[in-house]
Amino acid sequence: MIDRSLTDAGKEKIVRYIGDIYQRSRKRMDIYTFQNCIRENQKTYNCDQGLVHLIDRTLADCTADTRCIIRRHYLENNDPDWFLSYFARSTFYRLRKLAVQEFIRCLDI
């Protein structure tokens, strides 16, 4: 379990790191699938698949706002202003803090 004394910035760093690992795993899985070389890289593919499943399953346990924020802000990282069509800027920052806390709690780390 993550130490309760960890700051909000520290928790966000953890979620950002998890997002980076998630993106790398998804990319590697896509490359192995495209190149049809899953069998040759079965161990790495299985580890990546397990991580992606864990994160996706954790998101399924979260609220809709948390799922949206974690997926769009940390796991996909497309447009930095993606949230403006969903939330006011101040609302997004408040919800992002809550989303990070909920996501870490649901990961049970």
Side-chain angles (χ1 to χ4, degrees), residues 41-67:
N41 301 289
Q42 191 70 49
K43 186 175 180 180
T44 303
Y45 186 84
N46 288 345
C47 288
D48 289 339
Q49 190 176 38
L51 179 110
V52 167
H53 178 73
L54 173 69
I55 300 303
D56 290 341
R57 181 63 189 100
T58 300
L59 282 175
D61 292 340
C62 295
T63 62
D65 284 342
T66 296
R67 275 194 305 271

PDB file of all heavy atoms in Angstrom, residues 41-67:
ATOM      1  N   ASN A  41       8.271 -14.035 -29.103  1.00  0.00           N
ATOM      2  CA  ASN A  41       8.371 -13.100 -27.971  1.00  0.00           C
ATOM      3  C   ASN A  41       7.268 -13.354 -26.948  1.00  0.00           C
ATOM      4  O   ASN A  41       6.758 -12.423 -26.329  1.00  0.00           O
ATOM      5  CB  ASN A  41       8.285 -11.664 -28.489  1.00  0.00           C
ATOM      6  CG  ASN A  41       9.361 -11.348 -29.478  1.00  0.00           C
ATOM      7  OD1 ASN A  41      10.519 -11.240 -29.112  1.00  0.00           O
ATOM      8  ND2 ASN A  41       8.994 -11.222 -30.743  1.00  0.00           N
ATOM      9  N   GLN A  42       6.897 -14.607 -26.772  1.00  0.00           N
ATOM     10  CA  GLN A  42       5.744 -14.976 -25.952  1.00  0.00           C
ATOM     11  C   GLN A  42       5.847 -14.469 -24.513  1.00  0.00           C
ATOM     12  O   GLN A  42       4.891 -13.947 -23.966  1.00  0.00           O
ATOM     13  CB  GLN A  42       5.565 -16.492 -25.948  1.00  0.00           C
ATOM     14  CG  GLN A  42       4.252 -16.946 -25.360  1.00  0.00           C
ATOM     15  CD  GLN A  42       3.075 -16.592 -26.241  1.00  0.00           C
ATOM     16  OE1 GLN A  42       3.097 -16.847 -27.421  1.00  0.00           O
ATOM     17  NE2 GLN A  42       2.055 -15.995 -25.666  1.00  0.00           N
ATOM     18  N   LYS A  43       7.015 -14.586 -23.903  1.00  0.00           N
ATOM     19  CA  LYS A  43       7.166 -14.185 -22.499  1.00  0.00           C
ATOM     20  C   LYS A  43       6.944 -12.678 -22.336  1.00  0.00           C
ATOM     21  O   LYS A  43       6.190 -12.242 -21.465  1.00  0.00           O
ATOM     22  CB  LYS A  43       8.558 -14.572 -21.993  1.00  0.00           C
ATOM     23  CG  LYS A  43       8.757 -14.336 -20.526  1.00  0.00           C
ATOM     24  CD  LYS A  43      10.104 -14.860 -20.070  1.00  0.00           C
ATOM     25  CE  LYS A  43      10.286 -14.618 -18.593  1.00  0.00           C
ATOM     26  NZ  LYS A  43      11.574 -15.112 -18.112  1.00  0.00           N
ATOM     27  N   THR A  44       7.573 -11.879 -23.185  1.00  0.00           N
ATOM     28  CA  THR A  44       7.400 -10.423 -23.127  1.00  0.00           C
ATOM     29  C   THR A  44       5.961 -10.042 -23.439  1.00  0.00           C
ATOM     30  O   THR A  44       5.370  -9.199 -22.766  1.00  0.00           O
ATOM     31  CB  THR A  44       8.356  -9.725 -24.124  1.00  0.00           C
ATOM     32  OG1 THR A  44       9.689 -10.120 -23.829  1.00  0.00           O
ATOM     33  CG2 THR A  44       8.240  -8.220 -24.026  1.00  0.00           C
ATOM     34  N   TYR A  45       5.391 -10.694 -24.456  1.00  0.00           N
ATOM     35  CA  TYR A  45       4.012 -10.407 -24.849  1.00  0.00           C
ATOM     36  C   TYR A  45       3.056 -10.712 -23.699  1.00  0.00           C
ATOM     37  O   TYR A  45       2.149  -9.921 -23.412  1.00  0.00           O
ATOM     38  CB  TYR A  45       3.632 -11.216 -26.088  1.00  0.00           C
ATOM     39  CG  TYR A  45       2.276 -10.873 -26.644  1.00  0.00           C
ATOM     40  CD1 TYR A  45       2.124  -9.798 -27.518  1.00  0.00           C
ATOM     41  CD2 TYR A  45       1.150 -11.596 -26.293  1.00  0.00           C
ATOM     42  CE1 TYR A  45       0.885  -9.463 -28.029  1.00  0.00           C
ATOM     43  CE2 TYR A  45      -0.093 -11.274 -26.792  1.00  0.00           C
ATOM     44  CZ  TYR A  45      -0.220 -10.209 -27.665  1.00  0.00           C
ATOM     45  OH  TYR A  45      -1.460  -9.869 -28.155  1.00  0.00           O
ATOM     46  N   ASN A  46       3.244 -11.835 -23.025  1.00  0.00           N
ATOM     47  CA  ASN A  46       2.374 -12.201 -21.906  1.00  0.00           C
ATOM     48  C   ASN A  46       2.491 -11.212 -20.750  1.00  0.00           C
ATOM     49  O   ASN A  46       1.492 -10.873 -20.114  1.00  0.00           O
ATOM     50  CB  ASN A  46       2.679 -13.614 -21.432  1.00  0.00           C
ATOM     51  CG  ASN A  46       2.204 -14.661 -22.414  1.00  0.00           C
ATOM     52  OD1 ASN A  46       1.407 -14.392 -23.310  1.00  0.00           O
ATOM     53  ND2 ASN A  46       2.714 -15.878 -22.262  1.00  0.00           N
ATOM     54  N   CYS A  47       3.711 -10.755 -20.459  1.00  0.00           N
ATOM     55  CA  CYS A  47       3.907  -9.752 -19.399  1.00  0.00           C
ATOM     56  C   CYS A  47       3.201  -8.446 -19.762  1.00  0.00           C
ATOM     57  O   CYS A  47       2.515  -7.848 -18.922  1.00  0.00           O
ATOM     58  CB  CYS A  47       5.391  -9.505 -19.160  1.00  0.00           C
ATOM     59  SG  CYS A  47       6.245 -10.846 -18.335  1.00  0.00           S
ATOM     60  N   ASP A  48       3.374  -8.013 -21.012  1.00  0.00           N
ATOM     61  CA  ASP A  48       2.711  -6.788 -21.468  1.00  0.00           C
ATOM     62  C   ASP A  48       1.197  -6.938 -21.424  1.00  0.00           C
ATOM     63  O   ASP A  48       0.485  -6.035 -20.987  1.00  0.00           O
ATOM     64  CB  ASP A  48       3.153  -6.430 -22.891  1.00  0.00           C
ATOM     65  CG  ASP A  48       4.588  -5.934 -22.952  1.00  0.00           C
ATOM     66  OD1 ASP A  48       5.107  -5.498 -21.912  1.00  0.00           O
ATOM     67  OD2 ASP A  48       5.176  -5.982 -24.052  1.00  0.00           O
ATOM     68  N   GLN A  49       0.723  -8.079 -21.868  1.00  0.00           N
ATOM     69  CA  GLN A  49      -0.716  -8.328 -21.878  1.00  0.00           C
ATOM     70  C   GLN A  49      -1.276  -8.327 -20.447  1.00  0.00           C
ATOM     71  O   GLN A  49      -2.354  -7.792 -20.190  1.00  0.00           O
ATOM     72  CB  GLN A  49      -0.988  -9.668 -22.550  1.00  0.00           C
ATOM     73  CG  GLN A  49      -2.431  -9.932 -22.845  1.00  0.00           C
ATOM     74  CD  GLN A  49      -2.597 -11.236 -23.607  1.00  0.00           C
ATOM     75  OE1 GLN A  49      -1.899 -12.223 -23.339  1.00  0.00           O
ATOM     76  NE2 GLN A  49      -3.508 -11.238 -24.549  1.00  0.00           N
ATOM     77  N   GLY A  50      -0.540  -8.891 -19.511  1.00  0.00           N
ATOM     78  CA  GLY A  50      -0.961  -8.896 -18.111  1.00  0.00           C
ATOM     79  C   GLY A  50      -1.040  -7.493 -17.533  1.00  0.00           C
ATOM     80  O   GLY A  50      -1.994  -7.152 -16.833  1.00  0.00           O
ATOM     81  N   LEU A  51      -0.045  -6.668 -17.840  1.00  0.00           N
ATOM     82  CA  LEU A  51      -0.053  -5.288 -17.343  1.00  0.00           C
ATOM     83  C   LEU A  51      -1.223  -4.503 -17.933  1.00  0.00           C
ATOM     84  O   LEU A  51      -1.938  -3.814 -17.198  1.00  0.00           O
ATOM     85  CB  LEU A  51       1.263  -4.592 -17.679  1.00  0.00           C
ATOM     86  CG  LEU A  51       1.265  -3.145 -17.198  1.00  0.00           C
ATOM     87  CD1 LEU A  51       2.207  -2.974 -16.039  1.00  0.00           C
ATOM     88  CD2 LEU A  51       1.597  -2.212 -18.316  1.00  0.00           C
ATOM     89  N   VAL A  52      -1.426  -4.627 -19.233  1.00  0.00           N
ATOM     90  CA  VAL A  52      -2.529  -3.911 -19.892  1.00  0.00           C
ATOM     91  C   VAL A  52      -3.864  -4.371 -19.305  1.00  0.00           C
ATOM     92  O   VAL A  52      -4.740  -3.542 -19.023  1.00  0.00           O
ATOM     93  CB  VAL A  52      -2.471  -4.124 -21.423  1.00  0.00           C
ATOM     94  CG1 VAL A  52      -3.756  -3.671 -22.092  1.00  0.00           C
ATOM     95  CG2 VAL A  52      -1.273  -3.381 -22.002  1.00  0.00           C
ATOM     96  N   HIS A  53      -4.003  -5.662 -19.087  1.00  0.00           N
ATOM     97  CA  HIS A  53      -5.247  -6.177 -18.499  1.00  0.00           C
ATOM     98  C   HIS A  53      -5.451  -5.639 -17.080  1.00  0.00           C
ATOM     99  O   HIS A  53      -6.567  -5.256 -16.712  1.00  0.00           O
ATOM    100  CB  HIS A  53      -5.241  -7.700 -18.486  1.00  0.00           C
ATOM    101  CG  HIS A  53      -6.448  -8.286 -17.851  1.00  0.00           C
ATOM    102  ND1 HIS A  53      -7.682  -8.284 -18.461  1.00  0.00           N
ATOM    103  CD2 HIS A  53      -6.628  -8.859 -16.635  1.00  0.00           C
ATOM    104  CE1 HIS A  53      -8.566  -8.838 -17.644  1.00  0.00           C
ATOM    105  NE2 HIS A  53      -7.952  -9.193 -16.530  1.00  0.00           N
ATOM    106  N   LEU A  54      -4.389  -5.603 -16.285  1.00  0.00           N
ATOM    107  CA  LEU A  54      -4.478  -5.096 -14.914  1.00  0.00           C
ATOM    108  C   LEU A  54      -4.946  -3.638 -14.892  1.00  0.00           C
ATOM    109  O   LEU A  54      -5.842  -3.282 -14.124  1.00  0.00           O
ATOM    110  CB  LEU A  54      -3.128  -5.216 -14.205  1.00  0.00           C
ATOM    111  CG  LEU A  54      -3.032  -4.569 -12.821  1.00  0.00           C
ATOM    112  CD1 LEU A  54      -3.885  -5.322 -11.825  1.00  0.00           C
ATOM    113  CD2 LEU A  54      -1.592  -4.503 -12.367  1.00  0.00           C
ATOM    114  N   ILE A  55      -4.359  -2.816 -15.748  1.00  0.00           N
ATOM    115  CA  ILE A  55      -4.728  -1.395 -15.783  1.00  0.00           C
ATOM    116  C   ILE A  55      -6.156  -1.232 -16.286  1.00  0.00           C
ATOM    117  O   ILE A  55      -6.957  -0.489 -15.700  1.00  0.00           O
ATOM    118  CB  ILE A  55      -3.748  -0.589 -16.655  1.00  0.00           C
ATOM    119  CG1 ILE A  55      -2.318  -0.695 -16.099  1.00  0.00           C
ATOM    120  CG2 ILE A  55      -4.179   0.861 -16.779  1.00  0.00           C
ATOM    121  CD1 ILE A  55      -2.139  -0.266 -14.682  1.00  0.00           C
ATOM    122  N   ASP A  56      -6.507  -1.939 -17.355  1.00  0.00           N
ATOM    123  CA  ASP A  56      -7.871  -1.850 -17.890  1.00  0.00           C
ATOM    124  C   ASP A  56      -8.895  -2.347 -16.882  1.00  0.00           C
ATOM    125  O   ASP A  56      -9.969  -1.764 -16.725  1.00  0.00           O
ATOM    126  CB  ASP A  56      -7.996  -2.636 -19.199  1.00  0.00           C
ATOM    127  CG  ASP A  56      -7.251  -1.979 -20.351  1.00  0.00           C
ATOM    128  OD1 ASP A  56      -6.935  -0.767 -20.258  1.00  0.00           O
ATOM    129  OD2 ASP A  56      -6.982  -2.675 -21.349  1.00  0.00           O
ATOM    130  N   ARG A  57      -8.563  -3.414 -16.169  1.00  0.00           N
ATOM    131  CA  ARG A  57      -9.477  -3.954 -15.160  1.00  0.00           C
ATOM    132  C   ARG A  57      -9.619  -2.994 -13.986  1.00  0.00           C
ATOM    133  O   ARG A  57     -10.709  -2.818 -13.443  1.00  0.00           O
ATOM    134  CB  ARG A  57      -8.948  -5.313 -14.676  1.00  0.00           C
ATOM    135  CG  ARG A  57      -9.819  -5.983 -13.659  1.00  0.00           C
ATOM    136  CD  ARG A  57     -11.188  -6.317 -14.254  1.00  0.00           C
ATOM    137  NE  ARG A  57     -12.093  -6.766 -13.235  1.00  0.00           N
ATOM    138  CZ  ARG A  57     -13.030  -5.990 -12.655  1.00  0.00           C
ATOM    139  NH1 ARG A  57     -13.175  -4.740 -13.009  1.00  0.00           N
ATOM    140  NH2 ARG A  57     -13.815  -6.466 -11.727  1.00  0.00           N
ATOM    141  N   THR A  58      -8.536  -2.371 -13.598  1.00  0.00           N
ATOM    142  CA  THR A  58      -8.583  -1.385 -12.520  1.00  0.00           C
ATOM    143  C   THR A  58      -9.472  -0.213 -12.917  1.00  0.00           C
ATOM    144  O   THR A  58     -10.269   0.261 -12.117  1.00  0.00           O
ATOM    145  CB  THR A  58      -7.168  -0.891 -12.172  1.00  0.00           C
ATOM    146  OG1 THR A  58      -6.379  -2.009 -11.762  1.00  0.00           O
ATOM    147  CG2 THR A  58      -7.200   0.139 -11.062  1.00  0.00           C
ATOM    148  N   LEU A  59      -9.331   0.243 -14.152  1.00  0.00           N
ATOM    149  CA  LEU A  59     -10.170   1.350 -14.623  1.00  0.00           C
ATOM    150  C   LEU A  59     -11.647   0.976 -14.623  1.00  0.00           C
ATOM    151  O   LEU A  59     -12.503   1.828 -14.376  1.00  0.00           O
ATOM    152  CB  LEU A  59      -9.747   1.788 -16.028  1.00  0.00           C
ATOM    153  CG  LEU A  59      -8.510   2.660 -16.092  1.00  0.00           C
ATOM    154  CD1 LEU A  59      -8.129   2.922 -17.542  1.00  0.00           C
ATOM    155  CD2 LEU A  59      -8.720   3.975 -15.363  1.00  0.00           C
ATOM    156  N   ALA A  60     -11.957  -0.273 -14.873  1.00  0.00           N
ATOM    157  CA  ALA A  60     -13.351  -0.721 -14.870  1.00  0.00           C
ATOM    158  C   ALA A  60     -13.975  -0.576 -13.487  1.00  0.00           C
ATOM    159  O   ALA A  60     -15.201  -0.400 -13.364  1.00  0.00           O
ATOM    160  CB  ALA A  60     -13.453  -2.163 -15.346  1.00  0.00           C
ATOM    161  N   ASP A  61     -13.156  -0.624 -12.439  1.00  0.00           N
ATOM    162  CA  ASP A  61     -13.651  -0.475 -11.069  1.00  0.00           C
ATOM    163  C   ASP A  61     -13.807   0.980 -10.642  1.00  0.00           C
ATOM    164  O   ASP A  61     -14.345   1.252  -9.574  1.00  0.00           O
ATOM    165  CB  ASP A  61     -12.703  -1.170 -10.086  1.00  0.00           C
ATOM    166  CG  ASP A  61     -12.718  -2.672 -10.228  1.00  0.00           C
ATOM    167  OD1 ASP A  61     -13.703  -3.208 -10.781  1.00  0.00           O
ATOM    168  OD2 ASP A  61     -11.743  -3.322  -9.792  1.00  0.00           O
ATOM    169  N   CYS A  62     -13.322   1.900 -11.457  1.00  0.00           N
ATOM    170  CA  CYS A  62     -13.358   3.325 -11.113  1.00  0.00           C
ATOM    171  C   CYS A  62     -14.641   3.981 -11.624  1.00  0.00           C
ATOM    172  O   CYS A  62     -15.342   3.426 -12.475  1.00  0.00           O
ATOM    173  CB  CYS A  62     -12.158   4.039 -11.727  1.00  0.00           C
ATOM    174  SG  CYS A  62     -10.569   3.498 -11.057  1.00  0.00           S
ATOM    175  N   THR A  63     -14.892   5.184 -11.142  1.00  0.00           N
ATOM    176  CA  THR A  63     -16.044   5.949 -11.610  1.00  0.00           C
ATOM    177  C   THR A  63     -15.827   6.400 -13.049  1.00  0.00           C
ATOM    178  O   THR A  63     -14.705   6.375 -13.563  1.00  0.00           O
ATOM    179  CB  THR A  63     -16.271   7.192 -10.732  1.00  0.00           C
ATOM    180  OG1 THR A  63     -15.123   8.039 -10.843  1.00  0.00           O
ATOM    181  CG2 THR A  63     -16.514   6.818  -9.281  1.00  0.00           C
ATOM    182  N   ALA A  64     -16.891   6.834 -13.692  1.00  0.00           N
ATOM    183  CA  ALA A  64     -16.818   7.250 -15.096  1.00  0.00           C
ATOM    184  C   ALA A  64     -15.862   8.427 -15.286  1.00  0.00           C
ATOM    185  O   ALA A  64     -15.078   8.442 -16.244  1.00  0.00           O
ATOM    186  CB  ALA A  64     -18.211   7.609 -15.605  1.00  0.00           C
ATOM    187  N   ASP A  65     -15.913   9.414 -14.393  1.00  0.00           N
ATOM    188  CA  ASP A  65     -14.999  10.561 -14.508  1.00  0.00           C
ATOM    189  C   ASP A  65     -13.544  10.124 -14.366  1.00  0.00           C
ATOM    190  O   ASP A  65     -12.676  10.575 -15.115  1.00  0.00           O
ATOM    191  CB  ASP A  65     -15.324  11.630 -13.456  1.00  0.00           C
ATOM    192  CG  ASP A  65     -16.553  12.446 -13.802  1.00  0.00           C
ATOM    193  OD1 ASP A  65     -16.965  12.445 -14.989  1.00  0.00           O
ATOM    194  OD2 ASP A  65     -17.097  13.093 -12.890  1.00  0.00           O
ATOM    195  N   THR A  66     -13.276   9.245 -13.420  1.00  0.00           N
ATOM    196  CA  THR A  66     -11.913   8.762 -13.219  1.00  0.00           C
ATOM    197  C   THR A  66     -11.440   7.987 -14.439  1.00  0.00           C
ATOM    198  O   THR A  66     -10.313   8.178 -14.903  1.00  0.00           O
ATOM    199  CB  THR A  66     -11.822   7.886 -11.950  1.00  0.00           C
ATOM    200  OG1 THR A  66     -12.122   8.706 -10.816  1.00  0.00           O
ATOM    201  CG2 THR A  66     -10.443   7.270 -11.788  1.00  0.00           C
ATOM    202  N   ARG A  67     -12.289   7.107 -14.962  1.00  0.00           N
ATOM    203  CA  ARG A  67     -11.923   6.355 -16.176  1.00  0.00           C
ATOM    204  C   ARG A  67     -11.560   7.301 -17.304  1.00  0.00           C
ATOM    205  O   ARG A  67     -10.535   7.129 -17.969  1.00  0.00           O
ATOM    206  CB  ARG A  67     -13.088   5.469 -16.628  1.00  0.00           C
ATOM    207  CG  ARG A  67     -13.144   4.136 -15.951  1.00  0.00           C
ATOM    208  CD  ARG A  67     -14.084   3.183 -16.654  1.00  0.00           C
ATOM    209  NE  ARG A  67     -15.435   3.684 -16.815  1.00  0.00           N
ATOM    210  CZ  ARG A  67     -16.415   3.529 -15.946  1.00  0.00           C
ATOM    211  NH1 ARG A  67     -16.194   2.876 -14.825  1.00  0.00           N
ATOM    212  NH2 ARG A  67     -17.608   4.003 -16.183  1.00  0.00           N
TER     213      ARG A  67
END
